[in-house]
Amino acid sequence: MKERGTLRVSTQERGAELGDLFGIFFEDLNHAADGGLYAELVQNRSFEFDPIDHRDYHALTAWEKVERGRGSAELTVEESKPFSGRNKHYAVIGILSEGDGVGIMNQGFNSGIPVKQGEAYSFSFYARRDSSFNVPVRITVEGVDGTVHAAAEIAVASDEWTKYEAVLTANATDVSSRLAIVTKGSGRLYLDMVSLFPLKTFRNRPNGMREDIAALIADLKPKFMRFPGGCLVHDGSLNPDDRNSMYRWKNTIGDVEQRPARRNNWSYNQTLGLGYYEYFLFCEDIGAKPIPILPAGYDPHHKRIVPLDELQPWIDDALDLIEFACGDASTVWGGIRAGLGHPEPFGLEYIGIGNEEVGEPFFERYAYFHRAIKEKYPDMKIINSSGPFAAGGEYERGWKSARDNGSDLVDEHYYQSPEWFLANYDRYDHFKADEPKVFLGEYASWGNTYYNALVEAAFMTGLERNAHAVGLACYAPMLCNIDYVNWKPDMIWFNNHEVYGTANYYVQQLFMHHQGDHLLQIEANGFERPYAEPAKPITGKFSLGTDLCSVQYWDIQLINDETGEVKHLAGQGGMLSDTQEDRLNGTVVKTRELDETDWGSYTLRFKAKKISGPKGFDVYFGKNDDENQLIWEIGGWQNQDSAVVSKVDGRASCLTQSLFTVETGIAYEFALEVSGRRIRTYVDGVLINDTEDKLPVIEPLYFSASADQSTGDVIVKVINVQEQSVSAQVVLADLPKVPTLVEVFELSGYALDEANDFESPRRILPKRKELQTESNSFFYDFPKHSVTIFRVK
């Protein structure tokens, strides 16, 4: 049965400005930069890979020795006479017998180095040799069978480091090629900074971006780009010269040869070839405002902290970055930017301090950054942090810091189940316009199916309708190389020669293309009431567990808070052990079932002690099966959290979090109190968590409306997540009652579990059509599971 109702848009009543609402977030995880957006085709070009980056790495990762015919060579890596003091390693090919040539070969990323017939590629390296100066070095791009696709010869005629360049043009298409560097003669050939770029990068920039990935990003038309992270911003040592330092922006500009190789905290190497200069250029090329994120001298992952009396250099880094972006060529850092090739300022309106910060040390330091930046750049919009959780103690600490310091925005992050997003689509309805605005800097529902995208679209109407309180929002992560997955879901997937946008991508694109400049009032009338599941209490099975620890439980009681009945579960406690040794020996006892209840209000009490291990305790409740349950994690995430997590169909949502560390050998008294859908947790009688596991309330339609100032268009977004279509009359109040052209952009007709992939990269794709209305209203049948956008001309 189709519902009938009216959506009335007040086309002349302007609401809050939408500003820079929808943008993108770039973090170098999933090989988003090297092997991804950054167009370099050679992996480990400077022989700097190291076990610090990844336990399997070494200086010759992705390289192999070449010996042809009766050729024989010794391949080593040295650092005694480098050309770069910041990247000291280089390859040495000792020619023992020349045969048909000896040398070195690079495997590239994924299946190899991709080349296209007729395309040109820019090759360069630094080289020297100690003899045979008249013997050429042959550069080839070869198939795995040895077929040569492109070739050039270079004479290395000096025993001093010299940069050599050549252009190679491919005579075939092959996505699994290798780059070979082969020579004859005698003596030793020394190589470093071996590079191969397509000449055709995005906007043809040298040291530029891979064209297809960059074009897909540009096609979003984002308002801003957050960069470079993400946890890699603050997860590292305090010394900028350390291999595993925090992300320090000054290390990422200038000659790429002098940018120090860096451990990426996602367990691979960062060349920093895509650094801050390239980032600002890319923002300029795609019309996005840059939003750089800087560390504040605190690493919450390892508790590294810069003393307050040593904080000034970190503050200076922030001030210098603003000058690099905004200063004219007469300033120190504006002059450095001009020297890199960009005399005009890039411009900068926003700067973020910190990423997903937890703990008082960050917020103590944030205040120093805020004051210094506002004193020198009073118009700069400064973004504070509220941690990686949607609610709880650290979330509230971040918001308090923002209010106390007068932050312009607060960075919120959460990755949750689709059901959580539906239950919380009105999350920002009661946020105040006169407080710091929300920057939803990272969010996604768990998955890249059409269902995920549909739910995110519904949630995004709530972001848009609350533009008085929500200033910025970006889906995360953006990029993922299919062969180097650290995290999923992701908006854009690629390999070394293909790229596609997910269903989530096309929802983001629709909202970015049709954002508008001001909200318009839109009201719904005459629809059936929203559908809500019965508010059933949290019932089901209980169990106790641990993760990587050895723990003991005892004195376990389940109490009916309505009748006072007590169940003693003493025989179901005891030892649990899930240590690394247990995992090696096959002696793991990770969980123990307790009981099951259908009570609507109850308290689970127990005592517990950690014997050994890095984390703490897990309490499972409301359990239907392993994929549908709630979890109280005590000592989760590096033993820093007490968190309540809801899992629906295997997809987890952290409902709330507060700081808590489990000490080894200490006996704790725990209590889990459940009343209906409300959950409270206590440690030694102290309230730690207080939350509600809300169930989704399905609206007949989710909608928002806006006005586009440049075109005069009225934009209406309508999302139907229901199993049936919904009929409605769309009334464009205060527009002339004359024939009107309406552009319609729509996602519909897909199964909820469908997704784009490499075989069908455009399976899910918005369709465009036109409607010609007779007046200022029209009827429309919104298909089931649809995203519909009207542009009224």
Side-chain angles (χ1 to χ4, degrees):
M1 176 181 175
K2 295 182 179 180
E3 301 178 359
R4 296 193 179 275
T6 300
L7 293 174
R8 186 182 187 279
V9 183
S10 300
T11 63
Q12 304 305 311
E13 295 182 22
R14 299 292 190 266
E17 288 188 23
L18 290 164
D20 301 319
L21 183 54
F22 295 122
I24 56 175
F25 167 45
F26 178 92
E27 179 176 10
D28 189 2
L29 79 165
N30 306 316
H31 276 264
D34 298 311
L37 180 60
Y38 185 52
E40 174 66 79
L41 298 175
V42 175
Q43 184 175 189
N44 190 17
R45 65 186 177 187
S46 57
F47 306 97
E48 293 294 335
F49 277 33
D50 188 277
I52 293 173
D53 309 327
H54 188 284
R55 64 180 178 273
D56 296 332
Y57 280 2
H58 52 82
L60 288 171
T61 293
W63 293 96
E64 60 185 74
K65 183 167 60 176
V66 175
E67 296 172 318
R68 292 179 172 165
R70 292 182 173 273
S72 176
E74 181 182 32
L75 177 60
T76 58
V77 173
E78 296 182 0
E79 56 178 302
S80 60
K81 190 183 175 183
F83 84 90
S84 169
R86 306 189 84 183
N87 294 294
K88 294 184 178 181
H89 296 97
Y90 52 90
V92 183
I93 301 162
I95 304 170
L96 304 177
S97 174
E98 66 172 17
D100 292 336
V102 297
I104 195 169
M105 178 180 288
N106 189 262
Q107 300 167 0
F109 296 93
N110 299 89
S111 63
I113 291 175
V115 293
K116 294 181 181 179
Q117 184 173 4
E119 296 284 326
Y121 298 83
S122 175
F123 171 84
S124 66
F125 66 3
Y126 283 78
R128 60 185 175 91
R129 65 190 309 170
D130 56 16
S131 63
S132 299
F133 298 116
N134 61 341
V135 177
V137 176
R138 182 170 170 81
I139 315 301
T140 56
V141 176
E142 305 177 357
V144 291
D145 62 355
T147 303
V148 175
H149 303 319
E153 290 190 348
I154 292 173
V156 177
S158 174
D159 61 359
E160 296 295 329
W161 286 111
T162 305
K163 184 176 184 179
Y164 298 91
E165 298 176 280
V167 174
L168 288 74
T169 301
N171 60 22
T173 296
D174 183 355
V175 300
S176 302
S177 303
R178 305 290 188 263
L179 175 70
I181 303 170
V182 176
T183 192
K184 295 183 179 181
S186 62
R188 308 175 94 199
L189 175 65
Y190 305 83
L191 303 175
D192 204 352
M193 203 63 189
V194 181
S195 176
L196 186 70
F197 266 83
L199 272 183
K200 192 177 180 184
T201 59
F202 186 66
R203 301 289 172 89
N204 297 313
R205 290 195 181 277
N207 196 50
M209 308 301 165
R210 183 172 138 180
E211 187 180 39
D212 57 347
I213 298 176
L216 203 62
I217 295 171
D219 286 347
L220 287 167
K221 298 182 180 178
K223 295 286 190 180
F224 66 84
M225 179 172 169
R226 178 176 177 250
F227 175 95
C231 288
L232 64 82
V233 168
H234 63 196
D235 181 1
S237 82
L238 305 178
N239 183 349
D241 295 324
D242 286 349
R243 176 65 168 247
N244 65 334
S245 73
M246 294 184 187
Y247 195 100
R248 309 300 289 273
W249 77 268
K250 290 174 182 175
N251 284 338
T252 77
I253 62 171
D255 295 338
V256 292
E257 300 88 350
Q258 301 301 327
R259 302 180 191 180
R262 179 182 183 274
R263 174 201 68 97
N264 184 309
N265 77 316
W266 293 100
S267 298
Y268 58 91
N269 175 273
Q270 274 186 294
T271 65
L272 301 180
L274 198 175
Y276 259 88
Y277 182 68
E278 291 77 20
Y279 160 57
F280 281 121
L281 286 176
F282 187 60
C283 286
E284 189 172 83
D285 286 343
I286 66 175
K289 294 180 180 179
I291 301 184
I293 308 298
L294 297 181
Y298 173 59
D299 173 2
H301 299 259
H302 304 95
K303 298 295 193 294
R304 301 177 176 114
I305 307 173
V306 176
L308 291 176
D309 60 1
E310 298 175 17
L311 194 59
Q312 191 58 47
W314 297 74
I315 296 171
D316 290 341
D317 273 0
L319 297 174
D320 292 345
L321 177 61
I322 297 171
E323 185 174 280
F324 180 78
C326 300
D328 62 39
S330 68
T331 63
V332 173
W333 287 97
I336 291 172
R337 181 203 64 242
L340 295 176
H342 201 282
E344 296 301 317
F346 289 112
L348 189 66
E349 296 181 24
Y350 303 92
I351 190 167
I353 304 300
N355 168 76
E356 289 189 358
E357 303 295 342
V358 296
E360 184 58 31
F362 166 78
F363 296 103
E364 184 180 21
R365 282 152 184 76
Y366 170 86
Y368 289 84
F369 284 83
H370 187 98
R371 285 195 297 268
I373 293 170
K374 284 294 186 181
E375 182 177 333
K376 190 168 184 179
Y377 300 99
D379 295 330
M380 186 62 57
K381 296 174 183 176
I382 306 176
I383 304 166
N384 205 329
S385 172
S386 65
F389 307 100
E394 292 310 289
Y395 175 85
E396 294 299 339
R397 192 200 302 265
W399 269 95
K400 182 179 185 303
S401 171
R403 294 184 186 103
D404 290 348
N405 288 284
S407 303
D408 297 281
L409 298 109
V410 183
D411 191 6
E412 295 193 359
H413 294 181
Y414 40 80
Y415 298 90
Q416 311 279 53
S417 69
E419 292 72 24
W420 183 93
F421 279 95
L422 287 174
N424 291 275
Y425 85 98
D426 57 353
R427 172 180 174 88
Y428 299 109
D429 282 4
H430 302 294
F431 277 50
K432 298 177 181 178
D434 58 355
E435 290 196 332
K437 284 196 170 188
V438 173
F439 174 19
L440 185 48
E442 295 183 31
Y443 76 97
S445 67
W446 293 114
N448 283 138
T449 67
Y450 183 65
Y451 177 55
N452 296 102
L454 180 69
V455 167
E456 288 160 6
F459 186 78
M460 290 172 75
T461 63
L463 300 180
E464 197 167 272
R465 286 163 61 103
N466 287 295
H468 69 281
V470 181
L472 307 165
C474 49
Y475 181 99
M478 180 167 64
L479 297 175
C480 186
N481 187 318
I482 188 66
D483 291 327
Y484 307 94
V485 180
N486 301 116
W487 180 285
K488 55 184 180 180
D490 304 281
M491 194 199 307
I492 295 170
W493 289 77
F494 59 90
N495 53 31
N496 65 350
H497 65 287
E498 299 169 300
V499 61
Y500 71 86
T502 58
N504 320 68
Y505 168 92
Y506 288 107
V507 162
Q508 293 291 324
Q509 185 185 63
L510 284 172
F511 274 72
M512 291 182 202
H513 283 199
H514 308 289
Q515 176 185 294
D517 300 297
H518 285 86
L519 279 180
L520 296 174
Q521 180 69 29
I522 181 170
E523 296 177 346
N525 293 290
F527 294 101
E528 293 183 3
R529 296 182 64 182
Y531 170 75
E533 294 183 30
K536 58 184 180 181
I538 297 170
T539 60
K541 297 177 181 178
F542 297 90
S543 58
L544 301 175
T546 189
D547 182 25
L548 291 171
C549 294
S550 176
V551 300
Q552 182 181 9
Y553 291 97
W554 70 97
D555 285 358
I556 307 168
Q557 298 179 335
L558 181 62
I559 304 163
N560 187 321
D561 292 332
E562 294 177 340
T563 68
E565 180 183 349
V566 178
K567 290 185 178 181
H568 294 278
L569 308 175
Q572 299 179 29
M575 293 288 298
L576 298 177
S577 195
D578 180 38
T579 64
Q580 292 286 11
E581 184 178 356
D582 290 318
R583 293 184 180 190
L584 288 172
N585 296 336
T587 57
V588 169
V589 182
K590 187 177 176 68
T591 59
R592 181 165 289 128
E593 297 290 334
L594 290 182
D595 201 348
E596 185 172 359
T597 188
D598 59 1
W599 296 342
S601 183
Y602 53 85
T603 298
L604 178 70
R605 296 186 181 276
F606 59 94
K607 296 176 183 177
K609 178 171 63 176
K610 180 171 72 170
I611 310 302
S612 66
K615 299 174 79 173
F617 315 99
D618 293 319
V619 182
Y620 303 89
F621 62 105
K623 182 175 181 178
N624 296 318
D625 54 48
D626 288 342
E627 302 298 291
N628 295 274
Q629 60 183 328
L630 289 109
I631 310 165
W632 177 17
E633 299 176 350
I634 310 167
W637 190 75
Q638 299 182 333
N639 195 15
Q640 295 193 43
D641 295 337
S642 171
V644 178
V645 176
S646 173
K647 187 183 279 191
V648 178
D649 294 335
R651 295 175 292 214
S653 302
C654 181
L655 304 180
T656 187
Q657 171 272 351
S658 291
L659 289 182
F660 182 76
T661 297
V662 178
E663 302 291 341
T664 300
I666 301 297
Y668 295 96
E669 294 188 13
F670 295 104
L672 169 68
E673 184 181 288
V674 177
S675 179
R677 306 293 306 177
R678 187 170 183 180
I679 304 159
R680 294 185 182 93
T681 72
Y682 299 82
V683 179
D684 293 335
V686 178
L687 178 66
I688 302 295
N689 303 112
D690 188 348
T691 189
E692 180 185 2
D693 185 26
K694 295 171 62 176
L695 296 175
V697 176
I698 305 303
E699 299 290 327
L701 295 171
Y702 299 81
F703 47 82
S704 61
S706 59
D708 188 320
Q709 188 171 334
S710 62
T711 63
D713 293 354
V714 172
I715 303 167
V716 183
K717 302 181 182 75
V718 183
I719 289 79
N720 179 14
V721 305
Q722 297 191 78
E723 289 287 344
Q724 67 273 349
S725 63
V726 177
S727 270
Q729 182 183 20
V730 180
V731 178
L732 305 166
D734 303 318
L735 285 187
K737 295 182 179 181
V738 296
T740 304
L741 177 66
V742 180
E743 282 186 293
V744 184
F745 302 86
E746 191 165 81
L747 284 166
S748 65
Y750 304 107
L752 294 179
D753 61 354
E754 283 191 85
N756 289 345
D757 52 34
F758 287 109
E759 287 70 35
S760 299
R762 295 167 69 84
R763 176 185 289 121
I764 297 171
L765 193 70
K767 310 270 192 315
R768 180 190 176 277
K769 60 185 178 182
E770 292 183 354
L771 296 177
Q772 188 70 48
T773 72
E774 298 302 318
S775 185
N776 64 347
S777 69
F778 57 93
F779 288 92
Y780 196 83
D781 191 26
F782 295 99
K784 71 174 186 177
H785 304 151
S786 61
V787 178
T788 305
I789 297 181
F790 302 121
R791 282 195 84 106
V792 182
K793 298 296 181 180

